[in-house]
Amino acid sequence: MISLIPRKDIPLALTVMTPIIAIALTLIVGAIIFATLGYDPLQALYQFFIAPVSRPDQIGDLFVKACPLIIIASGLVFCFRANVWNIGAEGQLILGAVFSGYVALTFPGLPGWAMMPLMVIASMLGGLLWAMIPALLKTRFNTNEILVSLMLTYVAALLIDWIVRGPWRDPMSFGFPLTKMYEDAALISRIELPGIGYLGQLHWGVVGALLMAVGAWFVLSRMLVGFQVKVMGAAPRAGRFAGFSPSFVTVMVLGISGAAAGVAGMVEVSANIDQLQPDISFGYGFTAIIVTFLARLNPLAVIGAGLVVALAELGGDSAQIALGMPKVVTGVFKGILLFMLLAGETFNRFRFEIRLPRSAAVKLTGGQN
Amino acid sequence: MPLFFFEQVLTVAARRPHLSEAFMTARSRTKTSKNSAKKAGVAAPTHQTPLLNASGFVKRFGNFTANDDVSFSIYEGEIHALLGENGAGKSTFVKMVYGLMQPDSGALEWRGQPVTINGPQHAREMGIGMVFQHFSLFQALTVAENIQLALPAGESLSGLSDRVRRMSAEYGIGVDPDARVHNLSVGQQQRVEIMRCLLQNPSLLIMDEPTSVLTPQETDQLFDVLRRFSDSGVAILFISHKLDEILALTSRATVLRRGINVGTVDTDTRSARQLAEMMVGEMVGDVACNTAPADGDVLLEISHLSRPRPTQFATPLRKISMQARRGEILAIAGIAGNGQDELMEALIGEWRAGLDGIIFLKGLDITHAGPAVRRNAGIGFVPEERNGHAAVPTMSLAENNLLTSHSLGGAVKNGVIDDDAMRQAAADVATAFDVRLPNENPLASALSGGNLQKFVVGREIAKSPELLIVSQPTWGVDVGAAMFIRSAMLELAAKGSAVVMISQDLEEVFMIAHRIAVLYNGHLSAAMDATGLTAEKVGLLMGGSAAGRGPDA
């Protein structure tokens, strides 16, 4: 029987070395796979890790790609710290986009100073309400939030599909499932850096994403509500003893993560797409789960983890274009990278122990006194 | 993602140790030897070779001697009680007999032949069966399927069902093999567990506190079943602390006290009083002499607190009433599992009654108040379990201090935690209560049991609560730390606070309590002045004997 035993004290050196070793192993395994398939391994790794960030404008695009991941993961950190498993950020993102789209399309004449805040609030509300469904079902009927939130993702996808094909379709779209383009006031503008100009597609939403990560860090590490979340996740009985309510924490963390995912949906549409369409997310809600774990549930580390994952995405595109590498191979490589990082994380937190069945049985049943 | 799936699987495995064991039994696919050679009738025990004879069993855990030269014998068809308080060494002894642990020294004979029992599997092959107090069945499976999992492979489900039905009729057990376990009461589930043992034709059946989860009617039914086993020659080792049950069921009783066998007696010739005395012993300072200050104001008043059984192995609370006065230590004695956890949760406010007017603090109804509100009203709490209840092991001491002071202001302003104030408060507690720290702000898990206990008691006393409610304040703590904690509680009472101490350590109760009440099976006796009270009287109440019960208990 193989057991994972939590380490009591994790040496700092191990924590620092873990991701380095993981990335080194990824490079080695990746090189072997590329060579086996007949690609020049050095060239392939260059396309993955260097080419996507070799020009300043590409660095801007990297941040743009990471932006929704960072926003969503900043919210998911709260859920996962509290041992609440929100797997439905993708659906909450869609509802955020729909709610903010309602504001943008219904009140196109609003001035910019009113439009943006209203759209942000609407997107938060949309994501939050969608997350309240699993939250209330869990607190009232003890349903499994993993299943409910995941299944609601598909409902959300069908909902936006119906909206853009039906009630909100632009009559001038020649039958395409698209809404009207947003007015300028409803769009997020690019950042013009003094002396440099535009940096790729870098937009103000990225600044918002970084602020959200920092804000999440402050709430989680410096505020009493963050303390509640951590206590509930680490020892629910101690949380009740402290006077915290498990239901309140469940509702709160699902609300926070839902609102964050909603904002990500709004930013994605207003900065990159400019109108609603059936597909507005490339699985950001799911990829953000990986980002959250890669960041070890630390909101500040979410920024770095979001950039790493975004790099893997862009690197995959770049390898496909430059080397004609099939999409499945780039997908495999991304998978290896994430697998190594998460496995490293597991080895960091647990040590493995192999025990004989007989002694295990004795130990388990001998536990009660 | 993969991490939490791992963790969930691990948690399930850890929560269901008996299931894991059942699995392993099924997997190992060993045939049991059918030692069903039972002699008809039960002869006078003394002329026979004992079925099982243990002599000079010693078992040490570090410095602690759990069993010190314990000798014991049981004959075929005999129902023999093993009696003692918590920590007397009953569990340790039967675990050695069942092969779950090995004695450090001592010899075991089975039907006159020396043996060494290597494990539970071996014990079962020899013909020893055991029903655990907290047994565990697969809720979604049927009775027959659950039984099949525990038996060696090779028997069809329908054949097994027939055997279960036959045996059920023979002994009056009343188990339907096709019923799903989640539809059964705890008593019925226990009978499934008994059936599981019985199908392996044991010669000796060990039952660990079997009646603690049963209603009185179920207990009577169980006793009928056990008597029939005994008539057919099966020996039963019956572990209990309930004196009346022992007198009703068993023919002999072996009493353990602090790891020592204080005697094996015929229960026919003994009274509950005599058994109680053997169980609790004659202590130094047998008669308590702590006199509470006269006429302290009533701080805490509880009237008719009842609580249904929260889980299947829990004890319901039955109309508990009590008063705690300023300046006194009120002890709630009793053997663990008689409702202490359930009462403590109700006192903390983790569980709250639906009705009004049950718990009052200084005349104020706090029945519906949660733990934080009760703390703000001046109550401090120390629950029994340090890890995961009183403290979060993976958090620092400073954060653990915040756990019970976040609602009191100080370190939290406008929802923001003042890190320096939080650390300083924890450091102050550590200094004042002699908590030895490996570094400035260690994780709670880095502290020894005694040090962590001093911390969780100290963080409450440091707030000078008007009322302190503690459960097992010195459980698993070294002598020095225990004395420190007790004197801190006495000091607090002397300053005019009230202390309610739930404790199963009778010596501790007699040492520091001013008044003593006893919790038995969810009932709380009237509180008695400790002055002049004898250990024997308290022991009778702890054993639930009618002889010890007052008119109103």
Side-chain angles (χ1 to χ4, degrees), chain B residues 33-36 38 127 163 167 197-203:
Chain B
S33 60
K34 310 271 183 214
N35 41 37
S36 47
K38 284 174 194 152
R163 272 220 293 157
M167 204 162 252
C197 284
L198 218 58
L199 284 168
Q200 308 194 42
N201 295 314
S203 315

Side-chain angles (χ1 to χ4, degrees), chain A residues 85 222-224 227 230-231 234 237-238 240-242 244 289 293 346 349-350 358 361-362 364-366 368, chain B residues 1 3-4 7 21 95 100 132 345 350 371 375 381 383 388-389 392 395 399 403-404 406 415 417 459:
Chain A
W85 303 102
R222 287 283 175 268
M223 291 189 68
L224 188 61
F227 181 68
K230 288 185 286 183
V231 171
R237 199 160 178 222
R240 279 198 297 280
F241 172 60
F244 305 146
I289 297 170
F293 274 99
T346 308
R349 291 211 298 155
F350 298 92
R358 169 58 65 95
V362 169
L364 285 171
T365 44
Q368 58 169 6
Chain B
M1 271 259 282
L3 279 181
F4 78 82
E7 280 163 14
E21 204 208 322
K95 277 179 191 163
L100 282 166
F132 289 92
E345 282 175 5
E350 291 175 21
R375 273 189 200 104
F381 305 102
H389 195 189
V392 184
M395 285 188 159
E399 288 174 302
L403 210 56
T404 62
H406 62 86
I417 299 167
R459 77 176 171 198

Side-chain angles (χ1 to χ4, degrees), chain A residues 48-131:
Chain A
F48 258 98
F49 289 104
I50 313 291
V53 287
S54 54
R55 293 195 316 269
D57 64 299
Q58 288 178 314
I59 293 177
D61 290 344
L62 178 68
F63 274 90
V64 169
K65 188 84 182 167
C67 175
L69 299 176
I70 293 171
I71 297 176
I72 301 168
S74 301
L76 286 180
V77 163
F78 286 87
C79 272
F80 297 167
R81 277 286 180 103
N83 260 333
V84 173
W85 303 102
N86 178 9
I87 309 298
E90 183 80 359
Q92 293 141 21
L93 178 151
I94 291 171
L95 264 288
V98 168
F99 270 55
S100 61
Y102 174 80
V103 173
L105 296 169
T106 317
F107 311 104
L110 282 176
W113 59 264
M115 181 68 99
M116 261 308 133
L118 270 179
M119 283 178 73
V120 170
I121 291 167
S123 68
M124 292 171 81
L125 195 67
L128 184 139
L129 288 176
W130 206 241

Side-chain angles (χ1 to χ4, degrees), chain B residues 273-472:
Chain B
R273 194 169 291 273
Q274 286 166 314
L275 288 179
E277 195 185 297
M278 288 179 75
M279 179 169 80
V280 297
E282 288 172 35
M283 286 174 293
V284 192
D286 192 11
V287 178
C289 51
N290 305 308
T291 313
D295 305 327
D297 297 340
V298 174
L299 261 180
L300 175 75
E301 168 134 31
I302 295 178
S303 63
H304 297 292
L305 169 68
S306 291
R307 177 180 182 187
R309 207 184 280 277
T311 62
Q312 75 176 149
F313 295 121
T315 309
L317 299 180
R318 305 167 212 263
K319 291 191 180 167
I320 285 179
S321 298
M322 64 178 184
Q323 288 183 337
R325 296 163 188 280
R326 282 189 190 280
E328 73 168 359
I329 295 182
L330 169 68
I332 297 177
I335 289 166
N338 278 291
Q340 283 90 343
D341 293 346
E342 294 78 9
L343 177 60
M344 192 62 190
E345 282 175 5
L347 292 173
I348 295 171
E350 291 175 21
W351 176 85
R352 298 192 279 279
L355 305 169
D356 289 327
I358 292 174
I359 304 179
F360 294 91
L361 182 74
K362 290 185 282 183
L364 202 75
D365 186 354
I366 56 163
T367 311
H368 298 298
V373 177
R374 292 186 191 191
R375 273 189 200 104
N376 289 357
I379 313 181
F381 305 102
V382 184
E384 173 183 2
E385 179 60 51
R386 290 185 281 275
N387 294 313
H389 195 189
V392 184
T394 54
M395 285 188 159
S396 72
L397 225 48
E399 288 174 302
N400 271 297
N401 191 54
L402 190 64
L403 210 56
T404 62
S405 58
H406 62 86
S407 60
L408 304 171
V412 182
K413 288 191 186 72
N414 302 322
V416 179
I417 299 167
D418 180 344
D419 207 51
D420 291 337
M422 177 176 83
R423 282 162 181 267
Q424 191 55 48
D428 290 347
V429 170
T431 313
F433 291 88
D434 190 30
V435 181
R436 307 201 184 133
L437 307 178
N439 55 55
E440 196 204 328
N441 187 19
L443 295 183
S445 59
L447 262 59
S448 71
N451 267 321
L452 185 57
Q453 186 68 13
K454 279 196 278 187
F455 182 79
V456 296
V457 175
R459 77 176 171 198
E460 302 309 319
I461 294 182
K463 291 183 281 187
S464 307
E466 283 189 274
L467 172 63
L468 178 69
I469 301 178
V470 297
S471 180
Q472 322 299 357

